[in-house]
């Protein structure tokens, strides 16, 4: 079986999938970092980069866990039409927390998590932590009506 990187090199749908995930992550980082920095600035605690990094990591994990456990997606995933799904059983708070744990070190671990996931064999849409807890991120698809000519839905399938 091929690794995710081997599939990624020639599969346009997978390339789009990972581009959407990266875009969603950047948007979520903005959603987390800006308010965290502003609150710390108001409290007079925003001067230390390490403190900001740790505070943002805690907020990132809590935000991702709550949003995904309640709605199956964060704001970034919503904007990029993605959602988290459980491969085995329901998407629980525990699964959401475990898949979001790497975001505590939001500046490095999510990238390593994605690289490790793509190096392994199996579903190339999964990060390492997704494989460990039995979750995946999918492109939300509305089933197009037959003959509707829905270009957006057709582009998802290519």
């Amino acid at each position: 079986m091929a690794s995710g990187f081997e599939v990624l090199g020639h599969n346009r749908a997978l390339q789009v999938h990972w581009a959407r995930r990266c875009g969603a992550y950047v948007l979520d980082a903005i959603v987390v970092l800006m308010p965290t920095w502003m609150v710390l600035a108001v409290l007079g605690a925003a001067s230390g980069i390490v403190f900001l990094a740790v505070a943002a990591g805690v907020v990132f994990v809590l935000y991702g866990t709550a949003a995904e456990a309640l709605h199956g997606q964060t704001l970034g995933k919503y904007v990029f039409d993605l959602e988290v799904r459980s491969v085995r059983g329901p998407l629980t708070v525990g699964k959401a927390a475990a898949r979001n744990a790497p975001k505590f070190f939001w500046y490095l671990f999510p990238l390593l998590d994605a690289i490790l996931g793509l190096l392994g064999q199996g579903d190339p849409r999964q990060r390492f932590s997704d494989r460990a807890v039995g979750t995946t991120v999918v492109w939300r698809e509305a089933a197009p009506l037959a003959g509707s000519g829905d270009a957006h839905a057709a582009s998802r399938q290519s």
Side-chain angles (χ1 to χ4, degrees):
M1 182 175 242
S3 76
F5 277 115
E6 293 168 338
V7 177
L8 184 64
H10 58 82
N11 185 315
R12 179 74 177 132
L14 187 59
Q15 293 166 0
V16 170
H17 172 80
W18 279 102
R20 286 175 170 272
R21 285 191 76 170
C22 288
Y25 184 80
V26 168
L27 180 57
D28 285 336
I30 292 168
V31 165
V32 167
L33 291 173
M34 293 306 292
T36 302
W37 179 80
M38 286 189 278
V39 167
L40 292 176
V42 167
L43 296 175
S47 60
I49 191 75
V50 173
F51 189 72
L52 175 61
V54 170
V58 169
V59 173
F60 222 140
V61 172
L62 293 174
Y63 160 73
T65 299
E68 290 172 4
L70 292 172
H71 306 291
Q73 58 192 172
T74 59
L75 179 62
K77 287 181 183 73
Y78 175 78
V79 168
F80 283 90
D81 210 23
L82 298 168
E83 77 180 357
V84 178
R85 293 199 183 149
S86 178
V87 176
R88 299 177 301 270
L91 180 59
T92 63
V93 173
K95 285 182 182 181
R99 74 173 307 281
N100 280 288
K103 293 178 185 170
F104 180 77
F105 298 102
W106 54 271
Y107 43 85
L108 178 61
F109 278 14
L111 174 63
L112 294 176
D113 194 17
I115 289 169
L116 287 173
L118 286 168
L119 284 173
Q121 295 182 351
D123 186 348
R125 297 172 301 174
Q126 289 179 306
R127 298 179 319 186
F128 179 79
S129 60
D130 283 322
R131 285 205 181 109
V133 299
T135 58
T136 191
V137 174
V138 297
W139 197 346
R140 289 182 306 151
E141 296 186 36
L145 298 174
S148 68
D150 184 11
H152 180 67
S155 70
R156 293 180 193 177
Q157 297 171 355
S158 58

